[in-house]
Amino acid sequence: MKVKNILIFSAFVLFMAFHVKAQQLLKSEELTVSEGFKNPIGFYNAQPTFSWKLPVLKEVKSQSAYQIIVATSETLLQNNPDLWDSKKQQSNQSTFIKYEGKKLNSRQKVYWQVRYWNQDNKVSEYSEINSFELGLLNNSDWKAKWVGLNTAKDSIKGVRKFLMHRPQYLRKGFELSSEVVAARLYITAKGVFDVHLNGENVSDDVMPPGWTPYNKRIETITYDVTKLLASGQNTLAVELASGWHSGRISRGKSVYNNFASPKILCQLEIELKDGSKVVVYSDETWKGTTNGPIRLAGIYDGETYDANLEMPNWTYNNFDDKQWESVEVDAIDATVKLEPKRHQTVKHKITLNAAEIVSKSDTAVVFNFKQNMLGVPLVNVPMKKGDTLKIRFSEMLAPDGSFYTANYRSALSTDYYIASEDNTITWSPKFTFHGFQYVELSGFDASKEPSLDWVKGLVQYSNVEANGSFISSHEKLNQLQSNITWGLRSNFFDIPTDCPQRDERLGWTGDAQVISPTAMFNVDVHAFWTAWLQSVKETQSEHEDGLIPYIVPDVLQNNMASSGWGDAAVIIPWDIYNITGDKTVLEENYDMMQKWIGFHETQAKDYISNMNSFGDWLQPYPAKSGKDGQRGDTDKGFIGTAFFAHSANLASKIAAVLNKPDDVKKYYELYKKIALAFEKEFFDENGALKKGQSTQTSYLLALDFNLLNEETKAKAEKHLLEEIKKADNHLRTGFLGTPLLPKVLDKMEEIDLMYKILFKETYPSWFYSIHQGATTMWERWDSYSKTEGYNPGRMNSLNHYAYGAVGQWMYERIAGIAPLEPGYKLIRIAPQPNTEFLTSASASLNTPYGKVSTSWKIENEDFILDVVIPPNTSAKISIPANTSEKLLLNGKTFKDNTAIKLINKATNSFELVAQPGTYKFQSKIK
């Protein structure tokens, strides 16, 4: 009887356990730390934030509370979280929750889970266990030394007499007495590297560790190499080249000795099955040679590979390195921080096949990929022993079909491969990259018929994933979206660059600030931007007056700033906050913003700026010709004063987010004083410009930055419309004015006018370049034409992303997705159709809370809109309509319900508020 009762009781307990579990909500999803990292190793942040997404369920509309648990092991996490238990927190916040537990240390692996309570206070299961493992956070964690060969003494004079270092091959053998349980390789370089263990590639990273202000910080990378090691003999081998650190791109003006020989720093930490630990350091025992097959490698000039010098098995244990040199050793410099890389490395992301053979002869063949790109070629070419394959690159051919490279300027951008036998060679360069659409091969076996499979394009960019999508009923608008996307891919190569092909490829701050919102719609670049902002902050620290150079990292060292460029220090953090909701980026960069505004003050008299400015760069039809016209016609003082005010205004808003009331008042009052002086200096009582040349950009700056009183503003809007009308409804804007044009016209409710400008076919316009064959965004509105060829101007890249800033308007107003609260906690769904140009458009966006999407089409007189709103958000929806007709929701006449309510019925739209869910609306638009 006793046993029977026990069995009955056990069954009851088991039943209740299952019943309780059945009552629980599904677990949260897509757990990340800090700027979107999923289970990272070598993580940079010992004070992370936690984020998660709620599942898409009928029962889950929002979160009312959460609980995070953090521990040093999975076992403790389940039973007794020893690092942090947040306890139940009444909050709807599911993004960027700050860790408040015990101090975390280098190498530490941390496990965490989260559960949430929904709007009805029902609790979920705990999430899957997630983790992050910290890298080496402090210089003191490193016991290794910088090692490498003295390549400076044997360097070669290259283009413009810059020294070129021979690439190095470095190796170290070591023995392990037991099986390996766990192993981490911590590694970095003054240069770029590729690392191998026992003949295996450790990673597929491209040109790590990346580009930072090397006199301030060098990024380190952590690799899990447990499976690459074995008991007995092992070999660690590294290929090392100049990269950004010791190459021509640093221009010899760097604040560190950039012509010093490249070196590596690595520390292989191994835990063995017998309980012992072994550490292999880079030190005096390493050997090296420069007599390997990669003879030269430079970012601007390409790579030379001699197969006759290949060293079979040099990365394996049985290789004889007795004839190799001993390395030179440097101690770690305590003034240069060694920090784990805080954003994604560059990878081979896409492989493109050649689309056509444009021309061929006995000596050369030209391939067209029909897509401009950044990357390297993968060649598969028949060759004769001793011959040299020459590989050249071009963005566009001259009108006569000849190969054109003049716009690369001094960048040779040429690869060479020297064959060691009669055979088909397969090869791709390792320590360079190119911007190209066309590839020319010469030096191949002339007896063979060229074929399309001779070359592929390996597209390379930072390992960021797509964040949004946009498509419409208009072919050219879709091509514009593609051009924007490819422009971003081509200029997100570890840092945001201006172009990928010529002798520049630099981190221009102005280009970055105009593209940042559009970039974040299209690509998940949260970590990418915050990492580069750290470089901006470190570069500013070189200048006591708060100056921010217009290029970061600052290879020019000319002690110059530019308004509209340095303001990236304020504008980009604000953009990131609004799109992600992450306050950390504001906290990290607030001091930098204050110093930059202080620098603005030193450049102004009575609040009117005299700062240097590149102006409205490459504005079309400038009054001055040649180089003098590159900065456009908008007055330098006008631009400087406008950005001075704008940065002060944003600083006031940022101070409010950070709960700094004194600074809110300080910067708001500064902004108002600048605005008052600005209006007095530059505008007359009729709202017309009275100083400098009247331009579209001058009115756009004043209106978008809210620098005029209401009366003057109304008058200035009319003058802007006159400027646009004078241009036959074409834009006349350069880098600074172009991103403001759609914003201002939108505020003025001139949506139809913006559509007309966007869909213009003739120069200057977005579609003009598409007519000329553009597959990326161009530096100039007329960089190239099919009849005239390249613009004769010196600055002439066919892969510059700045004019792609219109992509923000395409997402926010054509598709109709915009944040009303930071991070899309409250979403605006307000598509603005124009039947003259479009019959449909769709977009989706991965917000911090989940995917939001819209898709609209016009059928006869019906406007049909599909909307998806993610959990833990809400939306204000505006539906274009003849509101005298009924509104349908999911095929039925709309009625207010708990999920969606009508809040306003205007003459031309229905305004609603909606909870998470999927909705189909249908309205009459005529």
Side-chain angles (χ1 to χ4, degrees):
M1 187 70 181
K2 192 173 182 179
V3 172
K4 184 178 179 181
N5 288 338
I6 291 172
L7 289 172
I8 292 171
F9 178 75
S10 298
F12 174 75
V13 170
L14 193 60
F15 168 79
M16 290 303 295
F18 277 111
H19 180 70
V20 169
K21 190 172 181 67
Q23 294 299 306
Q24 288 182 321
L25 300 170
L26 289 182
K27 59 190 72 173
S28 53
E29 305 168 337
E30 297 186 49
L31 278 65
T32 59
V33 289
S34 295
E35 299 90 1
F37 293 92
K38 299 176 182 178
N39 300 318
I41 70 166
F43 191 51
Y44 79 96
N45 193 354
Q47 296 178 303
T49 59
F50 300 105
S51 301
W52 58 92
K53 294 177 182 177
L54 304 188
V56 178
L57 290 173
K58 185 177 180 181
E59 304 95 319
V60 180
K61 297 298 182 184
S62 62
Q63 173 187 290
S64 62
Y66 68 83
Q67 182 180 8
I68 300 170
I69 52 175
V70 186
T72 54
S73 72
E74 292 190 29
T75 302
L76 285 170
L77 189 67
Q78 303 282 330
N79 301 298
N80 183 27
D82 58 334
L83 289 175
W84 185 43
D85 183 345
S86 73
K87 306 300 183 183
K88 183 178 179 180
Q89 299 293 315
Q90 298 292 336
S91 172
N92 65 4
Q93 186 179 355
S94 58
T95 60
F96 308 110
I97 308 294
K98 289 187 176 181
Y99 172 72
E100 296 179 355
K102 295 177 182 177
K103 181 181 178 183
L104 304 179
N105 300 304
S106 296
R107 307 178 180 86
Q108 188 168 1
K109 188 166 186 178
V110 177
Y111 300 85
W112 71 285
Q113 288 177 292
V114 65
R115 62 177 176 172
Y116 66 91
W117 284 258
N118 75 350
Q119 69 280 355
D120 300 319
N121 204 34
K122 289 183 179 179
V123 68
S124 74
E125 298 179 63
Y126 270 108
S127 66
E128 298 294 334
I129 296 173
N130 273 238
S131 67
F132 59 93
E133 181 183 316
L134 294 165
L136 302 186
L137 304 176
N138 310 296
N139 283 26
S140 58
D141 295 319
W142 291 86
K143 308 305 177 188
K145 300 173 183 176
W146 290 103
V147 303
L149 301 175
N150 184 357
T151 53
K153 66 180 176 64
D154 299 319
S155 58
I156 301 131
K157 285 188 178 180
V159 177
R160 295 180 177 175
K161 299 184 179 179
F162 279 92
L163 300 180
M164 297 183 70
H165 296 269
R166 290 282 189 203
Q168 303 176 42
Y169 295 79
L170 307 170
R171 54 180 270 128
K172 163 74 177 179
F174 57 95
E175 193 166 350
L176 299 176
S177 60
S178 175
E179 291 182 27
V180 175
V181 174
R184 297 291 184 266
L185 175 63
Y186 305 100
I187 186 168
T188 189
K190 295 177 180 178
V192 291
F193 67 85
D194 191 21
V195 59
H196 317 270
L197 259 174
N198 296 327
E200 299 290 336
N201 284 331
V202 168
S203 83
D204 58 355
D205 291 343
V206 174
M207 295 178 68
W211 195 9
T212 53
Y214 295 122
N215 63 311
K216 293 291 183 180
R217 174 175 52 99
I218 297 177
E219 295 172 315
T220 66
I221 300 180
T222 304
Y223 297 116
D224 180 352
V225 294
T226 306
K227 295 180 180 179
L228 299 180
L229 293 167
S231 60
Q233 192 66 29
N234 292 268
T235 298
L236 178 58
V238 180
E239 296 167 271
L240 175 65
S242 298
W244 296 275
H245 183 279
S246 305
R248 181 157 76 94
I249 196 168
S250 289
R251 284 157 166 77
K253 297 181 180 180
S254 194
V255 289
Y256 62 92
N257 183 7
N258 65 295
F259 285 146
S261 302
K263 285 185 167 59
I264 64 153
L265 180 75
C266 66
Q267 196 159 296
L268 175 57
E269 300 187 358
I270 308 164
E271 181 183 344
L272 300 178
K273 191 174 183 179
D274 62 12
S276 62
K277 293 185 178 180
V278 175
V279 183
V280 179
Y281 302 106
S282 51
D283 60 16
E284 298 87 346
T285 63
W286 282 58
K287 305 289 280 298
T289 184
T290 56
N291 293 322
I294 304 179
R295 306 309 300 144
L296 292 172
I299 288 173
Y300 288 159
D301 300 319
E303 186 167 306
T304 300
Y305 187 94
D306 188 344
N308 297 282
L309 297 177
E310 288 179 341
M311 303 174 292
N313 301 320
W314 78 274
T315 62
Y316 290 84
N317 300 325
N318 57 359
F319 183 80
D320 183 0
D321 62 10
K322 291 178 182 177
Q323 302 303 312
W324 284 26
E325 301 176 56
S326 295
V327 296
E328 294 187 352
V329 173
D330 289 336
I332 292 173
D333 184 349
T335 66
V336 178
K337 294 179 292 184
L338 298 171
E339 293 186 357
K341 191 174 184 71
R342 61 179 294 178
H343 70 300
Q344 297 83 356
T345 53
V346 175
K347 303 276 190 184
H348 295 302
K349 296 289 290 180
I350 301 170
T351 299
L352 295 182
N353 295 320
E356 65 175 349
I357 293 175
V358 177
S359 63
K360 58 184 176 181
S361 67
D362 291 341
T363 58
V365 57
V366 175
F367 299 86
N368 181 7
F369 285 88
K370 295 191 175 179
Q371 176 60 60
N372 205 357
M373 71 184 89
L374 178 153
V376 292
L378 173 62
V379 294
N380 188 53
V381 179
M383 292 189 68
K384 293 286 189 180
K385 177 180 172 62
D387 285 350
T388 298
L389 181 71
K390 184 178 182 180
I391 310 170
R392 294 200 303 155
F393 304 89
S394 177
E395 292 189 291
M396 204 74 86
L397 303 181
D400 64 2
S402 59
F403 210 72
Y404 188 94
T405 61
N407 69 317
Y408 289 20
R409 302 190 310 207
S410 73
L412 299 180
S413 198
T414 304
D415 299 326
Y416 299 92
Y417 182 99
I418 303 167
S420 61
E421 60 181 351
D422 294 356
N423 208 341
T424 297
I425 62 101
T426 300
W427 176 75
S428 182
K430 182 174 290 188
F431 294 127
T432 190
F433 60 89
H434 308 281
F436 65 98
Q437 178 174 325
Y438 294 84
V439 170
E440 179 194 71
L441 302 179
S442 60
F444 51 85
D445 183 348
S447 68
K448 306 296 184 183
E449 180 68 19
S451 62
L452 286 174
D453 62 1
W454 277 18
V455 61
K456 296 180 185 295
L458 301 181
V459 180
Q460 301 171 329
Y461 51 94
S462 289
N463 191 26
V464 293
E465 299 302 326
N467 200 49
S469 64
F470 176 92
I471 193 167
S472 76
S473 56
H474 198 286
E475 182 180 356
K476 287 171 191 166
L477 190 64
N478 295 340
Q479 183 63 54
L480 175 59
Q481 170 63 19
S482 176
N483 291 3
I484 291 169
T485 302
W486 278 97
L488 295 170
R489 288 171 178 161
S490 301
N491 285 288
F492 283 171
F493 197 90
D494 201 69
I495 68 163
T497 62
D498 60 327
C499 62
Q501 76 295 87
R502 69 182 179 221
D503 56 354
E504 208 161 345
R505 315 184 201 189
L506 304 174
W508 283 86
T509 53
D511 304 47
Q513 71 92 352
V514 301
I515 200 62
S516 64
T518 295
M520 284 184 274
F521 276 110
N522 285 280
V523 191
D524 182 5
V525 282
H526 187 180
F528 179 87
W529 283 126
T530 54
W532 182 69
L533 285 169
Q534 182 175 348
S535 292
V536 176
K537 182 168 58 175
E538 289 162 343
T539 302
Q540 185 193 47
S541 70
E542 296 284 332
H543 304 274
E544 293 182 1
D545 57 2
L547 179 148
I548 292 175
Y550 46 78
I551 291 171
V552 174
D554 182 18
V555 298
L556 297 182
Q557 290 292 304
N558 60 9
N559 201 39
M560 286 184 66
S562 170
S563 60
W565 272 249
D567 296 278
V570 184
I571 295 170
I572 294 178
W574 183 244
D575 288 339
I576 294 172
Y577 169 67
N578 278 293
I579 291 175
T580 67
D582 181 12
K583 287 199 292 189
T584 309
V585 69
L586 304 181
E587 295 165 345
E588 285 185 357
N589 295 290
Y590 189 66
D591 182 61
M592 171 175 68
M593 301 176 201
Q594 290 182 296
K595 290 177 179 176
W596 170 249
I597 294 169
F599 179 73
H600 257 300
E601 291 182 285
T602 68
Q603 303 296 298
K605 182 179 180 182
D606 298 328
Y607 303 108
I608 301 301
S609 177
N610 191 38
M611 189 188 295
N612 169 64
S613 182
F614 289 108
D616 194 24
W617 187 251
L618 298 182
Q619 166 216 309
Y621 297 117
K624 297 179 180 178
S625 60
K627 187 176 180 180
D628 292 337
Q630 289 179 166
R631 300 188 183 216
D633 298 329
T634 306
D635 181 77
K636 177 188 78 170
F638 185 105
I639 290 173
T641 308
F643 275 97
F644 182 17
H646 186 50
S647 283
N649 190 24
L650 291 184
S652 176
K653 295 177 181 180
I654 291 165
V657 174
L658 299 180
N659 194 25
K660 297 176 181 289
D662 290 344
D663 285 354
V664 173
K665 181 180 179 182
K666 170 186 171 182
Y667 287 116
Y668 184 74
E669 288 179 352
L670 177 60
Y671 151 65
K672 295 303 288 184
K673 288 176 181 177
I674 302 166
L676 190 64
F678 173 88
E679 181 174 342
K680 183 179 179 181
E681 180 78 9
F682 295 106
F683 285 85
D684 64 21
E685 65 278 7
N686 296 314
L689 203 69
K690 69 178 183 181
K691 183 177 181 180
Q693 186 167 332
S694 180
T695 64
Q696 290 181 14
T697 294
S698 60
Y699 291 104
L700 291 169
L701 285 165
L703 293 168
D704 189 60
F705 293 174
N706 199 21
L707 303 180
L708 306 174
N709 68 50
E710 287 301 315
E711 184 180 350
T712 308
K713 175 184 172 183
K715 294 174 180 177
E717 288 176 347
K718 293 179 181 178
H719 290 294
L720 171 62
L721 296 178
E722 288 171 5
E723 289 292 332
I724 295 172
K725 185 177 180 181
K726 283 194 296 185
D728 189 28
N729 290 344
H730 285 74
L731 52 78
R732 290 287 187 270
T733 51
F735 278 28
L736 296 183
T738 297
L740 307 184
L741 179 65
K743 296 179 184 179
V744 172
L745 292 181
D746 194 82
K747 291 176 186 176
M748 294 169 58
E749 299 185 353
E750 292 284 352
I751 303 295
D752 289 345
L753 176 56
M754 184 59 217
Y755 263 103
K756 289 176 182 177
I757 295 171
L758 177 59
F759 282 79
K760 280 290 185 183
E761 304 269 351
T762 51
Y763 171 79
S765 69
W766 283 280
F767 287 2
Y768 173 80
S769 62
I770 292 171
H771 280 301
Q772 308 309 316
T775 59
T776 45
M777 303 308 299
W778 289 355
E779 183 174 21
R780 296 176 183 268
W781 293 109
D782 60 345
S783 284
Y784 178 89
S785 78
K786 291 178 179 178
T787 55
E788 302 297 325
Y790 279 86
N791 185 299
R794 187 169 179 270
M795 305 280 184
N796 211 9
S797 159
L798 299 190
N799 210 337
H800 249 70
Y801 51 44
Y803 291 141
V806 72
Q808 179 181 7
W809 192 78
M810 291 161 60
Y811 271 92
E812 291 189 343
R813 299 309 270 147
I814 295 179
I817 301 173
L820 286 177
E821 291 181 5
Y824 293 85
K825 185 66 173 170
L826 178 60
I827 306 166
R828 181 183 71 179
I829 304 293
Q832 294 287 330
N834 185 306
T835 54
E836 181 182 350
F837 302 104
L838 293 176
T839 58
S840 68
S842 302
S844 66
L845 182 67
N846 293 318
T847 77
Y849 299 96
K851 182 175 285 188
V852 58
S853 67
T854 64
S855 178
W856 63 261
K857 61 182 177 179
I858 296 172
E859 293 183 349
N860 299 318
E861 296 181 355
D862 290 337
F863 179 80
I864 301 167
L865 173 65
D866 290 285
V867 176
V868 176
I869 303 167
N872 212 25
T873 68
S874 58
K876 290 186 176 181
I877 303 176
S878 178
I879 302 170
N882 173 1
T883 54
S884 65
E885 301 282 348
K886 63 184 177 181
L887 173 66
L888 300 183
L889 172 60
N890 300 330
K892 298 179 181 179
T893 301
F894 175 82
K895 292 181 181 180
D896 281 0
N897 57 64
T898 55
I900 186 165
K901 297 182 186 299
L902 181 69
I903 59 172
N904 188 36
K905 188 176 177 181
T907 56
N908 57 1
S909 66
F910 291 105
E911 309 291 331
L912 308 102
V913 290
Q915 298 303 307
T918 300
Y919 304 96
K920 179 185 282 289
F921 301 98
Q922 186 170 343
S923 65
K924 295 291 183 181
I925 56 173
K926 289 185 180 179

